[in-house]
Amino acid sequence: MLMTERDRLAEEIRSLAARLGQDRTSLIPILLEVKRKYHTIDSYAMQVIADLLGIHPVEVNSVVSFYAFLGDHRQGKFVIRLCRTISCDMQGKSRVKRQLENDLGIGFGETTPDGKFTLEYANCMGMCDQGPAMLVNDRIYTRVTPEKVHEILEECRRVFGVHAAETKEVVFK
Ligand code: FES
């Protein structure tokens, strides 16, 4: 029997629930895993999760839409979050922003057409004395300069390698 993408997603969510728990306390851990792997949490995934945890899909949707790290919009494999809070702002955030936009050809809130990079703003990351600060997926970069932006993006591109298009999951080394 052929498995569709939806079957695969449902199967994956079932195994996540088996591992992480099948009550409402497992909701966020499951959502984080789905987002990490699929870069989006669509309405079908929310329905499957709701059914498994015995809660209403509206509850799942409200959690997804509340947390910026979740969200039902599709994101790139690398989500770059630049701190826009005052200390980083005063330490050159705008120059870093311009460099990111120039290098990637997109604005903040957008994803590159190849689905590799998303640019977003974030608020204070607790690295105010080492700004401008920036997160790439779960990895933090401090004292980011326009020159450092090139290196960071090159590092991301190297992670893709020749088989990049075939992999759904990208993990920083
Ligand atoms: S203001 Fe940017 S990390 Fe605190």
Side-chain angles (χ1 to χ4, degrees), residues 82-89 91 122-134 140 142:
L82 178 64
C83 175
R84 64 175 164 194
T85 309
I86 188 156
S87 295
C88 288
D89 198 26
Q91 294 175 90
N123 293 317
C124 183
M125 303 166 184
M127 307 300 284
C128 323
D129 60 330
Q130 299 170 58
M134 187 171 99
I140 195 150
T142 56

Coordinates of all heavy atoms in Angstrom, one line a residue, residues 82-89 91 122-134 140 142, ligand 1:
L82 N 16.9 38.1 14.2 CA 17.7 39.1 14.6 C 17.1 39.9 15.8 O 15.9 40.3 15.6 CB 18.0 40.1 13.4 CG 18.8 41.3 13.7 CD1 20.3 40.9 14.1 CD2 18.9 42.2 12.4
C83 N 17.8 40.2 16.8 CA 17.3 40.9 18.0 C 17.0 42.4 17.6 O 17.9 43.0 17.0 CB 18.2 40.8 19.2 SG 17.6 41.8 20.5
R84 N 15.8 42.8 17.9 CA 15.5 44.2 17.5 C 15.3 45.1 18.8 O 14.8 46.2 18.7 CB 14.3 44.3 16.7 CG 13.0 43.8 17.4 CD 11.8 44.0 16.5 NE 10.7 43.2 17.1 CZ 9.6 42.9 16.5 NH1 9.4 43.4 15.3 NH2 8.7 42.2 17.0
T85 N 15.7 44.6 19.9 CA 15.5 45.3 21.1 C 16.6 46.4 21.3 O 17.7 46.3 20.6 CB 15.4 44.4 22.4 OG1 14.4 43.4 22.0 CG2 15.0 45.1 23.6
I86 N 16.4 47.4 22.2 CA 17.2 48.6 22.1 C 18.7 48.4 22.2 O 19.4 49.1 21.4 CB 16.7 49.6 23.2 CG1 17.4 51.0 23.0 CG2 16.9 49.1 24.6 CD1 16.6 52.1 23.6
S87 N 19.2 47.5 23.0 CA 20.7 47.4 23.1 C 21.3 47.0 21.8 O 22.3 47.5 21.3 CB 21.1 46.4 24.2 OG 20.7 46.9 25.5
C88 N 20.7 46.0 21.2 CA 21.2 45.5 19.9 C 21.0 46.6 18.8 O 21.8 46.7 17.9 CB 20.5 44.2 19.5 SG 21.1 42.8 20.5
D89 N 19.9 47.3 19.0 CA 19.6 48.3 18.0 C 20.7 49.4 18.0 O 21.2 49.8 17.0 CB 18.2 49.0 18.4 CG 17.6 49.8 17.2 OD1 18.0 49.4 16.1 OD2 16.9 50.7 17.5
Q91 N 23.7 48.9 18.9 CA 25.0 48.3 18.6 C 25.2 47.9 17.1 O 26.0 47.1 16.8 CB 25.3 47.1 19.5 CG 25.4 47.6 21.0 CD 25.6 46.4 21.9 OE1 26.7 45.9 22.2 NE2 24.5 45.8 22.4
A122 N 13.4 39.2 16.5 CA 13.1 38.6 17.8 C 13.3 39.7 18.8 O 14.0 40.7 18.5 CB 14.0 37.4 18.1
N123 N 12.8 39.5 20.0 CA 13.1 40.5 21.1 C 14.3 39.9 21.9 O 14.8 38.9 21.6 CB 11.8 40.7 21.9 CG 10.8 41.4 21.1 OD1 11.1 42.3 20.4 ND2 9.6 40.9 21.1
C124 N 14.6 40.7 22.9 CA 15.9 40.4 23.7 C 16.1 39.0 23.9 O 15.3 38.2 24.4 CB 15.8 41.2 25.0 SG 17.3 41.0 25.9
M125 N 17.4 38.6 23.7 CA 17.8 37.2 23.9 C 18.7 37.0 25.1 O 19.3 36.0 25.3 CB 18.5 36.7 22.6 CG 17.7 36.8 21.4 SD 18.8 36.6 19.9 CE 17.6 36.9 18.6
G126 N 18.8 38.1 25.8 CA 19.7 38.1 27.0 C 21.1 38.2 26.8 O 22.0 37.9 27.6
M127 N 21.5 38.7 25.6 CA 22.9 38.8 25.2 C 23.2 40.3 24.9 O 24.0 40.7 24.1 CB 23.2 38.0 24.0 CG 22.9 36.6 24.1 SD 23.7 35.7 25.4 CE 25.3 35.5 24.7
C128 N 22.5 41.2 25.7 CA 22.5 42.6 25.4 C 23.9 43.2 25.4 O 24.2 44.2 24.7 CB 21.6 43.4 26.4 SG 20.2 42.5 26.9
D129 N 24.8 42.7 26.3 CA 26.2 43.3 26.3 C 27.0 42.8 25.2 O 28.2 43.2 25.1 CB 26.8 42.9 27.7 CG 26.9 41.4 27.9 OD1 26.0 40.7 27.3 OD2 27.8 41.0 28.5
Q130 N 26.5 41.9 24.3 CA 27.3 41.4 23.2 C 26.6 41.5 21.9 O 26.7 40.7 21.0 CB 27.6 39.9 23.5 CG 28.4 39.6 24.7 CD 28.4 38.1 25.1 OE1 28.9 37.3 24.2 NE2 28.0 37.7 26.2
G131 N 25.8 42.6 21.8 CA 25.0 42.8 20.6 C 25.8 43.2 19.4 O 27.0 43.6 19.6
P132 N 25.2 43.2 18.2 CA 23.9 42.7 17.9 C 23.9 41.2 18.0 O 24.8 40.5 17.6 CB 23.7 43.1 16.5 CG 24.7 44.1 16.2 CD 25.9 43.9 17.1
A133 N 22.8 40.7 18.6 CA 22.6 39.2 18.7 C 21.7 38.6 17.7 O 20.7 39.3 17.3 CB 22.1 38.9 20.1
M134 N 21.9 37.4 17.3 CA 21.1 36.8 16.3 C 21.1 35.3 16.6 O 22.0 34.7 17.0 CB 21.8 37.1 15.0 CG 21.1 36.7 13.7 SD 22.0 37.3 12.3 CE 23.0 35.9 11.8
I140 N 23.0 30.6 18.9 CA 23.1 32.1 19.0 C 24.4 32.6 18.5 O 25.5 32.0 18.7 CB 22.8 32.5 20.5 CG1 22.5 34.0 20.5 CG2 23.9 32.1 21.4 CD1 21.6 34.4 21.6
T142 N 26.7 36.3 18.6 CA 26.8 37.6 19.2 C 27.8 38.5 18.5 O 28.6 38.0 17.7 CB 27.2 37.4 20.7 OG1 28.5 36.7 20.7 CG2 26.2 36.7 21.5
Ligands
FES1 S1 18.8 43.7 23.4 FE1 19.5 42.2 22.0 S2 20.0 40.5 23.2 FE2 19.2 42.0 24.6

